[in-house]
Amino acid sequence: MNNTSINEMNFDLNWEEKYSDMVVTPQEAVLRIQPGFRVFIGTGCAQPQRLVDALVARHADLADIEIVHLLTLGDAPYAQKDLINHFTVNSFFIAQNVRHIIQEGLGGYTPIFLSDIPRLFKTGQLPLDAALIQVSPPDEDGMCSLGISVDIVKSAAENSRLVIAEVNPRMPRTMGDCFIHVHDIDYLVPVDTPLIEFPLAEPDDVTREIGQYIAGLIEDGATLELGIGRIPQAVLEFLGDKKDLGIHTEMLTDSIIEPIEKGIINGKRKTLDRGKIVASFAMGTKRLYEYLNNNPNFSFYPTEYVNDPFIISQQNKMVAINVALEVDLTGQVCADSMGSKFYSGIGGQVDFNRGAARSNGGKAIIALPSTAHNGEVSRIVCHLSEGAGVVTTRGDVHYVITEYGVAYLHGKNVQERALALISIAHPKFREKLLMEAIESKYIRPELTDFKNKIVIGPRDIRTTYICDDGTSVTIRAIHPTDEPRIRELFYSLSQESLYKRFMSRMKWVPRKQVQEFVYIDHRNEVSIVATVPDPDGEEIVAMGGYYLNPKTNRAEVAFVVQDEWQNRGIGSFLFRHLINIARRNGIAGFTAEVLRENKPMQAVFERSGLKVESQLHEGVYSYIMNFE
């Protein structure tokens, strides 16, 4: 493709002559705009820059022009203090180019779900006098593609009294429900200028950590929505082992190309639009724009389709990935303001969060770094900042992810939420958050004793055990929110199993002892659990762990398996896994105390392949097991 046009084989080369009565210069076109008009400006990298410049150059003849847009990436010369009597900004999403004027109270921000905006135009609740857009040249049938920005642009063009379009041969001719007939445009303004480019910033270590956690939740055959920001795009870097992924998203960037070319993204298992990559706008570089041009693998649709929660929910395994500015300990998500200062917008977060939550096997994910301002401020907070707005409510939130792990909140009580979120906060803020949570009566005061142990275990502990009958059992590190499940495990044990594990007769395990199993530092103390799916999420059927004696560099080991899951190899697998963990941590061996009548546990140790020594004293075997 040459530098002049990526489209010349797809449009009528004689279009300017054929529609000469509609062709005008930018300066002539904006003469049709009158004082008091509400003017829509096209989105993102398809902002019609020449028309914007011509409009602002005519400011002396204009007053009370309301500029309406979603998100624009070009210059916004109308957003200047000395022009506020001529132009007023009303933005549905706040980009950097208008943030200053809005934060100073000289412009407007309309908080609204992205899926609702087209209805404002269609019903006349927000009538448009003029729409300034950018399109590809018309083809032989007079059809122009809206190219890289269909989103709310299509609805704006369909419902505006006056439509003025820059016609640019560099605009990709994208496919899908993204065409407008030349006769539905009032004035055509020929331009031949590069589209605005939006290169992605290189992910940093924190972004990559978050991306890896998110990728771990994505199953083969899932359909993804990738919200705006570096984190959602960084996820694509970690999908190399996935198969048959689909895309149904608002925005595309250059990062989509590599997983498509590797066959990771092919849409084979999508419920709707099978085989198609569905989006409503693209923000990238020339490489992406050329890749999209006349590419039948992509279908661009307007926002009223892409962001419809009902449509989204019909995709099996729909995964929505969006970002936040801060999250409070009850699960409220702020994504559009920093305190009382509006920063971005609601966008499609709620649309996709709710759609994914209702999808069969879907996951609604909110991701954010644990800190801001060079690590000086926690983004996980006890209470949202004064003036901060709630975009995703505590009732809508499901997964929250930072570089320190994953917190699943849906269906959890406030104490479980607070503990889960504290565990993925930056370590230097966890103690403060715990004390604030206790003061706010979110969690019980006795948890003060564990203030340094509300953490998530290492990710690499996670593995899978397959029973002889094919049942899959997940082995993972214990989590601070596991306390209720560990209690359930102990309550489910027979009196004999309780006696063998604790070597004393008891009707129940005291809460304090349960907490000592759950709240650990994952260094000197390690606890792992074996889980199987159940209607409430997962059931813990076994647990094991060790406690290090630093004087001997040996750790005392113990584990217990629910009665109905015994004799299926789970205990032996837990023990082998604990050996691997301890070896990686440089521990020399294990010790254990086992009742004489506990033959199954003795067999696990004797058959472990370790160098085993044991002594019997008053009915209890004392084991020493060396790894070397």
Side-chain angles (χ1 to χ4, degrees):
M1 298 179 185
N2 59 47
N3 293 327
T4 303
S5 169
I6 63 172
N7 240 328
E8 60 185 23
M9 299 303 295
N10 302 316
F11 64 81
D12 185 348
L13 295 175
N14 298 316
W15 72 267
E16 288 190 56
E17 181 180 346
K18 184 182 292 187
Y19 306 109
S20 59
D21 58 328
M22 301 169 61
V23 174
V24 294
T25 65
Q27 293 73 24
E28 291 170 334
V30 298
L31 290 174
R32 277 68 179 177
I33 295 175
Q34 301 300 314
F37 267 31
R38 180 179 285 120
V39 179
F40 174 84
I41 293 177
T43 303
C45 296
Q47 176 184 332
Q49 299 173 86
R50 299 297 174 268
L51 287 173
V52 169
D53 290 342
L55 179 65
V56 174
R58 192 177 163 243
H59 71 272
D61 300 326
L62 300 171
D64 297 325
I65 300 293
E66 181 181 344
I67 302 291
V68 176
H69 54 60
L70 176 59
L71 174 153
T72 58
L73 291 186
D75 293 334
Y78 45 82
Q80 304 299 328
K81 285 185 181 180
D82 57 349
L83 296 179
I84 58 174
N85 292 325
H86 304 278
F87 303 106
T88 301
V89 173
N90 181 7
S91 187
F92 299 118
F93 196 95
I94 305 170
Q96 185 177 3
N97 58 1
V98 296
R99 188 171 294 135
H100 66 288
I101 203 79
I102 291 173
Q103 289 185 348
E104 291 181 30
L106 301 176
Y109 159 54
T110 299
I112 188 171
F113 301 149
L114 196 49
S115 59
D116 284 346
I117 298 173
R119 193 175 298 113
L120 293 182
F121 301 153
K122 186 174 183 179
T123 62
Q125 185 178 345
L126 193 71
L128 299 176
D129 297 299
L132 310 183
I133 65 175
Q134 186 172 185
V135 299
S136 71
D139 60 20
E140 294 286 348
D141 297 320
M143 302 302 294
C144 303
S145 174
L146 289 168
I148 59 173
S149 287
V150 181
D151 49 88
I152 64 170
V153 176
K154 194 169 193 293
S155 179
E158 291 171 345
N159 293 286
S160 179
R161 293 193 297 113
L162 173 69
V163 180
I164 302 172
E166 288 185 6
V167 184
N168 191 348
R170 305 191 193 213
M171 175 65 79
R173 184 175 183 268
T174 54
M175 314 301 287
D177 183 11
C178 58
F179 289 93
I180 180 172
H181 195 276
V182 69
H183 286 140
D184 290 324
I185 301 171
D186 295 290
Y187 296 99
L188 306 174
V189 179
V191 300
D192 189 351
T193 56
L195 299 178
I196 298 168
E197 296 195 46
F198 182 71
L200 284 176
E202 185 70 19
D204 57 19
D205 292 341
V206 168
T207 304
R208 284 196 168 95
E209 281 290 318
I210 297 171
Q212 283 186 288
Y213 276 117
I214 296 172
L217 295 176
I218 296 171
E219 302 175 45
D220 291 346
T223 294
L224 311 183
E225 178 253 350
L226 304 166
I228 196 166
R230 287 190 300 173
I231 291 173
Q233 307 308 319
V235 175
L236 294 169
E237 185 179 330
F238 301 100
L239 300 179
D241 60 342
K242 309 296 180 181
K243 297 181 179 63
D244 300 332
L245 300 182
I247 298 291
H248 181 104
T249 189
E250 298 160 329
M251 183 182 79
L252 296 176
T253 66
D254 287 48
S255 59
I256 199 74
I257 297 175
E258 186 174 341
I260 294 173
E261 293 184 335
K262 289 182 175 180
I264 298 166
I265 294 173
N266 54 39
K268 285 182 179 179
R269 299 198 217 171
K270 288 181 71 177
T271 315
L272 302 178
D273 305 301
R274 184 161 295 180
K276 298 290 186 180
I277 296 164
V278 171
S280 68
F281 65 99
M283 299 198 313
T285 67
K286 183 181 176 183
R287 180 190 179 209
L288 175 64
Y289 304 152
E290 291 182 345
Y291 193 77
L292 295 173
N293 183 52
N294 217 34
N295 190 332
N297 294 322
F298 292 86
S299 286
F300 278 72
Y301 283 91
T303 292
E304 51 266 47
Y305 178 82
V306 173
N307 282 69
D308 184 338
F310 177 73
I311 297 293
I312 296 165
S313 69
Q314 292 182 63
Q315 295 284 4
N316 287 333
K317 297 183 180 179
M318 183 73 211
V319 179
I321 306 165
N322 288 281
V323 298
L325 295 171
E326 61 179 6
V327 179
D328 76 12
L329 293 184
T330 72
Q332 295 186 113
V333 177
C334 175
D336 68 343
S337 67
M338 292 181 171
S340 59
K341 285 191 173 183
F342 295 118
Y343 184 81
S344 54
I346 293 174
Q349 181 172 124
V350 176
D351 296 331
F352 276 94
N353 198 83
R354 289 180 173 170
R358 287 156 178 76
S359 158
N360 181 24
K363 296 182 176 75
I365 296 171
I366 300 294
L368 71 167
S370 65
T371 64
H373 301 300
N374 297 317
E376 295 304 312
V377 176
S378 178
R379 291 180 183 265
I380 303 294
V381 294
C382 188
H383 307 289
L384 294 181
S385 303
E386 183 178 356
V390 175
V391 169
T392 297
T393 71
R394 55 172 72 104
D396 286 309
V397 72
H398 283 239
Y399 292 90
V400 177
I401 299 179
T402 73
E403 71 272 26
Y404 290 100
V406 180
Y408 183 69
L409 307 185
H410 189 65
K412 306 300 182 185
N413 63 40
V414 170
Q415 173 163 295
E416 291 171 320
R417 288 165 177 246
L419 290 172
L421 289 166
I422 291 170
S423 71
I424 65 168
H426 192 284
K428 73 179 181 181
F429 294 107
R430 288 177 190 160
E431 181 176 346
K432 179 175 182 287
L433 286 168
L434 178 66
M435 301 312 294
E436 289 175 341
I438 291 172
E439 184 178 349
S440 297
K441 307 297 189 290
Y442 290 164
I443 60 178
R444 297 187 305 276
E446 70 260 24
L447 291 180
T448 305
D449 297 341
F450 303 99
K451 60 188 177 183
N452 296 319
K453 297 182 177 182
I454 299 181
V455 295
I456 289 179
R459 184 171 49 199
D460 57 5
I461 283 179
R462 192 180 186 92
T463 188
T464 302
Y465 172 69
I466 306 298
C467 299
D468 290 342
D469 63 359
T471 302
S472 177
V473 180
T474 298
I475 312 297
R476 61 166 175 80
I478 204 161
H479 190 279
T481 57
D482 283 332
E483 184 183 337
R485 294 191 184 93
I486 295 298
R487 288 203 304 271
E488 290 170 4
L489 169 65
F490 289 148
Y491 278 124
S492 72
L493 296 176
S494 66
Q495 285 297 306
E496 181 183 0
S497 292
L498 275 174
Y499 176 63
K500 288 178 179 178
R501 170 60 183 85
F502 295 101
M503 293 189 288
S504 65
R505 300 294 180 185
M506 54 175 61
K507 292 183 178 179
W508 63 81
V509 180
R511 182 185 292 271
K512 184 75 170 178
Q513 191 160 3
V514 172
Q515 291 171 339
E516 288 173 351
F517 289 129
V518 174
Y519 304 112
I520 59 174
D521 63 15
H522 295 278
R523 296 186 301 275
N524 295 323
E525 307 153 285
V526 168
S527 287
I528 58 176
V529 293
T531 72
V532 294
D534 77 354
D536 297 324
E538 60 180 357
E539 177 187 6
I540 294 177
V541 298
M543 73 169 293
Y546 65 71
Y547 180 81
L548 177 67
N549 181 344
K551 293 181 179 179
T552 63
N553 195 31
R554 288 191 181 89
E556 183 176 356
V557 67
F559 48 90
V560 64
V561 180
Q562 195 181 93
D563 289 64
E564 64 185 80
W565 289 87
Q566 291 175 9
N567 302 314
R568 302 177 74 172
I570 295 174
S572 296
F573 187 85
L574 285 177
F575 185 59
R576 291 195 299 273
H577 198 46
L578 287 168
I579 291 171
N580 292 334
I581 295 168
R583 278 176 162 159
R584 288 202 303 268
N585 290 334
I587 293 173
F590 282 152
T591 63
E593 303 289 316
V594 182
L595 289 170
R596 178 166 49 193
E597 56 264 45
N598 193 351
K599 301 299 182 183
M601 184 70 75
Q602 296 167 30
V604 168
F605 293 155
E606 297 291 349
R607 299 169 186 169
S608 65
L610 302 177
K611 182 180 179 182
V612 179
E613 300 175 8
S614 64
Q615 289 184 338
L616 180 64
H617 180 67
E618 295 184 353
V620 176
Y621 280 102
S622 296
Y623 280 89
I624 297 177
M625 296 165 275
N626 294 311
F627 296 156
E628 297 299 334

